[in-house]
Amino acid sequence: MSVTERYGDPDARLEAVNDTVRIQLAHRSVRRFGPRDVTDDELTTLVAAAQSAPTSSNLQPWSVIAVRDPERRARLAHLSGEQAFIAQAPLFLVWVADLGRARRLAARRGTDVHAADYLETTLIGFIDTALAAQNAVTAAESLGLGSVFVGAIRNRPEEVAAELKLPPHTVAAFGLAVGEPDPAERAGVKPRLPQEAVLHREQYSDASDAHLDVYDERLAAYNARYGLKGNWTDRVLARLRGPESMGGRHKLRAVLESFGLPSR
């Protein structure tokens, strides 16, 4: 998979490339899976890769729940906006921002962890969870597996927590459907913004926005190949229009507080 596909630009070039970078450049979301299972050995490797990601102060404030049971996957698919691929994938990983472990550790020692009440610590929980999960995605792709992240796991967080029996001070951050990609799935490598739009040298410059129009053209062309409409600007503005576009997630602050993640 070449860098030209990643940017939708026939003139794009990369000189420093190895096998790992090629895997990363070829990443795409997979929403149709073949019949084979993800083995326990593969699952163990994915978790080992996830645990090899950076973690702030070695807090390791995350957990992951491997869901294989078809009925539970179907219920999670329903709670995540009726996304059928969750039920179809042989493995669904639910990544959990987990400050409960530290809270339980403090209780055993008879001490307090007041810093866990602050936004900084909640951010660390979500950031470290995401870093770990992305490591798992790269590992999965190196093993010939495909995946897709599911942010909609946050649409109905109380019901997801009940389904997974999550303890206090934890929250399901996102899901990850994993399996062997179905070769019949018609999907490509979605172009990303030009580097000139995201790479700033020394200081931020909003002159980088000058590169957004060409990206709109490239993404619109990509979408058209797959029977989709619209460009990047349309998508961003629709997704961020208001609470009605958030699938229930506009209530997340109150939910986090009720879960014991007050984020002062």
Side-chain angles (χ1 to χ4, degrees):
M1 192 61 60
S2 70
V3 68
T4 61
E5 289 172 280
R6 174 50 67 206
Y7 289 110
D9 178 2
D11 296 322
R13 296 289 182 272
L14 282 182
E15 299 301 327
V17 178
N18 58 23
D19 289 343
T20 301
V21 174
R22 290 186 186 95
I23 289 170
Q24 293 171 316
L25 291 174
H27 170 75
R28 67 178 179 90
S29 294
V30 173
R31 293 180 174 85
R32 285 178 56 184
F33 300 94
R36 89 161 178 90
D37 200 359
V38 177
T39 69
D40 281 342
D41 285 343
E42 288 170 328
L43 173 59
T44 300
T45 295
L46 300 189
V47 175
Q51 290 185 281
S52 300
T55 174
S56 180
S57 302
N58 201 28
L59 292 176
Q60 303 180 66
W62 61 270
S63 294
V64 61
I65 299 174
V67 180
R68 294 188 185 273
D69 178 70
E71 293 182 359
R72 178 162 288 114
R73 283 189 281 110
R75 290 193 293 272
L76 290 171
H78 170 66
L79 294 174
S80 301
E82 304 293 353
Q83 299 194 68
F85 62 82
I86 297 172
Q88 194 245 335
L91 176 66
F92 189 59
L93 298 177
V94 181
W95 298 86
V96 178
D98 186 354
L99 297 177
R101 186 183 298 117
R103 299 274 193 174
R104 296 191 298 273
L105 178 63
R108 288 199 297 272
R109 290 286 185 91
T111 189
D112 295 313
V113 283
H114 294 306
D117 291 342
Y118 286 84
L119 177 60
E120 164 67 5
T121 307
T122 301
L123 285 174
I124 287 171
F126 277 91
I127 291 167
D128 280 18
T129 304
L131 293 173
Q134 181 54 44
N135 255 28
V137 166
T138 301
E141 290 171 351
S142 77
L143 296 172
L145 299 169
S147 66
V148 60
F149 279 111
V150 181
I153 204 75
R154 300 189 300 278
N155 285 10
R156 295 161 72 175
E158 295 98 337
E159 291 163 271
V160 169
E163 177 65 46
L164 300 175
K165 294 189 175 180
L166 296 183
H169 314 294
T170 68
V171 63
F174 44 80
L176 185 72
V178 184
E180 180 183 49
D182 181 346
E185 183 181 24
R186 190 166 172 260
V189 173
K190 186 176 292 184
R192 296 295 197 241
L193 286 164
Q195 282 202 9
E196 295 84 355
V198 301
L199 175 60
H200 305 264
R201 299 185 185 274
E202 307 302 337
Q203 293 182 314
Y204 192 102
S205 170
D206 60 12
S208 59
D209 291 354
H211 299 277
L212 300 184
D213 288 345
V214 68
Y215 180 62
D216 271 342
E217 294 175 6
R218 290 171 183 168
L219 192 61
Y222 171 88
N223 285 340
R225 289 202 300 273
Y226 296 99
L228 304 172
K229 294 181 180 179
N231 56 33
W232 185 72
T233 295
D234 295 336
R235 172 64 175 165
V236 170
L237 297 182
R239 177 62 180 81
L240 301 179
R241 182 176 63 250
E244 70 280 3
S245 67
M246 297 179 69
R249 286 174 252 178
H250 61 289
K251 300 179 288 186
L252 191 56
R253 178 180 286 277
V255 170
L256 289 175
E257 185 159 1
S258 73
F259 283 178
L261 297 160
S263 304
R264 288 194 240 164

